[in-house]
Amino acid sequence: MKEIVVSGIRPTGNLHLGNYFGALRNFVKMQEDYDCRFFVADLHALTTQPDPKTLHINAKNILAEYIAAGLDPEKATIFVQSDVPEISEMYLLLNMHVGIGELMRTTAFKDKARKALGIKTDSVSESDDEAIEHQIIGTESNKRVNAGLLTYPTLMAVDILIQKASKVPVGKDQEQHLELTRRFARRFNSFYNTDLLVEPQNFNFGAAAVKVPGLDGSGKMGKSEGNCIYLIDDEKVMRKKVMRAVTDEGPKVPDSPMSEPIANLFTLLELTSAPDVVEHFRRAYADCSIRYGDLKKQLADDIAAVTAPIRQRIMDIQANDEFLSRTVSRGAERARAAAADTLAQVKQVMGIKKF
Ligand code: TRP
């Protein structure tokens, strides 16, 4: 039996090169050797109250993008969270063993609660925590932190535990949620004196996760930074973004250290170009003959070689509603079979029985 891998993707925007090199490419490799179950976390997206008109479109986009980038419905189970009602049912049950205190102390919750209440995120202090707590229980404000946001970790734990996954590939920002998942599983098992729930581990597949930098000179590529190249960008748009990437005045003396913007361009080049191409530009940098325009043109060509075929497949899939609906209904069927098993066991140990 293959080990079970579960990961969820919130449908909140298009996929960019950071997602592709940071996560997706690994998912594509994992599906060869593991029993992978990847899903669109549309219920999680509801915690930040998206426009109903865009929720479904975003879910569809993300499915098309994942499949276009190499997730194979023949190898992995690909499904939509809301197609598996067992998840919602077990979420209610697991919540009975989750403390509101531990949920309120979760970093992601505090960040999102601050956002919902309009408290500036740059001043992360004790008084903020107090302000949040005050406003959460206060009745004056028409701003509110919804209970779904608070119980986000319960829902995520159920996504994982209901599939009995032992491995969960997630980034650093989700490690705390994974830690809570383990804690809830342990607590449930010990309360009912069972070994029903499996404690999952973070799956650091292959080498250390690659950090994909953005085009704005500093930091990593991220939706909210506005420094992204999206898989769906058409080639002209992508080229424009690359040609406008931040650089510096260029090396003045041989073997100068690289500034961050230039180092970032080299990181992107390493991800997309052949080793001898990278070497050529490194040498040109070292002997001060480099022209950033040439480097960018090369980078744009090599990014296009990665993204152009993916983009074409995204559009083909988008145009084929029948394929997508067949794919997710097959995925849901498989995901539900496993989920129904776990749910039945959970109900049994909790004492919920048919009359
Ligand atoms: N919380 C995850 C994120 O924001 C998405 C997610 C939901 C998830 N359920 C999951 C990830 C289960 C892994 C496993 O990225």
Side-chain angles (χ1 to χ4, degrees), residues 179-198:
E179 184 56 50
L180 284 172
T181 302
R182 283 192 285 272
R183 203 201 293 174
F184 299 160
R186 227 176 296 135
R187 183 181 298 159
F188 182 97
N189 284 347
S190 98
F191 189 90
Y192 296 107
N193 192 23
T194 171
D195 58 2
L196 179 54
L197 300 181
V198 176

Side-chain angles (χ1 to χ4, degrees), residues 6-10 39 41 44 81 112 152 155-157 159-160 168-170 173-174 177-178:
V6 160
S7 200
I9 306 104
R10 263 178 312 133
F39 67 95
H44 275 109
Q81 189 182 30
K112 286 180 175 169
Y152 186 112
L155 183 58
M156 177 160 163
D159 292 329
I160 297 164
V168 180
V170 285
D173 64 324
Q174 296 296 315
H177 287 154
L178 206 53

